[in-house]
């Protein structure tokens, strides 16, 4: 696979699986490319929330806006330039703040395959 650059405008956003709200994901590299990791962008509308147990190791980089990520009794707030690691098997609650958020993510293994 050659070296490539990705920009938000080219991301093929789709509603995040299992979500009814304004939460979208866009893989730009995944198993279809022969890569061992998935790379993509996430978009959260204002005040959107999701809860799930992580099926994969997920690294999320906040590009715009703010998110709070809770696990157990701990809540982390992340803004532009911050990185959050959510380990496989960890139950998490992600909440976008009033302005929403845009993220980049890297998962191992592929989140689509792990969700079944």
């Amino acid at each position: 696979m050659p070296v490539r650059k990705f920009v938000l405008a080219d991301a093929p956003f789709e509603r995040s699986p299992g979500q009814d709200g304004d939460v979208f994901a866009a893989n730009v590299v995944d198993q279809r490319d022969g890569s061992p990791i998935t790379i993509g962008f996430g978009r959260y509308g204002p005040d959107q929330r999701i809860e799930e147990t992580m099926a994969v190791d997920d690294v999320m980089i906040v590009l715009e806006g703010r998110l709070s990520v809770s696990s157990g009794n701990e809540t982390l707030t992340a803004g532009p330039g911050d990185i959050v690691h959510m380990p496989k098997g960890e139950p998490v609650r992600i909440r976008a703040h009033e302005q929403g958020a845009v993220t980049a993510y890297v998962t191992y293994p592929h989140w689509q395959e792990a969700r079944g």
Side-chain angles (χ1 to χ4, degrees), residues 44 48-50 60 67-69 86 92-96:
Y44 297 78
Q48 294 297 300
R49 299 168 189 268
I50 62 173
M60 178 173 60
L67 292 170
S68 290
V69 181
M86 296 170 285
V92 299
R93 295 171 308 283
I94 302 170
R95 179 181 62 86

Side-chain angles (χ1 to χ4, degrees), residues 18-101:
Q19 304 300 320
D20 294 329
D22 188 15
V23 179
F24 297 87
N27 290 356
V28 292
V29 171
D30 58 24
Q31 63 275 14
R32 296 169 290 195
D33 299 293
S35 175
I37 60 175
T38 296
I39 302 168
F41 293 102
R43 189 174 66 215
Y44 297 78
D47 300 311
Q48 294 297 300
R49 299 168 189 268
I50 62 173
E51 289 189 34
E52 65 181 89
T53 297
M54 301 308 297
V56 297
D57 275 283
D58 189 321
V59 175
M60 178 173 60
I61 303 101
V62 179
L63 303 175
E64 300 173 10
R66 298 188 78 64
L67 292 170
S68 290
V69 181
S70 301
S71 181
N73 293 327
E74 183 175 11
T75 298
L76 307 172
T77 299
D82 292 339
I83 299 172
V84 178
H85 174 237
M86 296 170 285
K88 181 178 179 176
E90 189 71 21
V92 299
R93 295 171 308 283
I94 302 170
R95 179 181 62 86
H97 292 226
E98 57 278 351
Q99 70 271 47

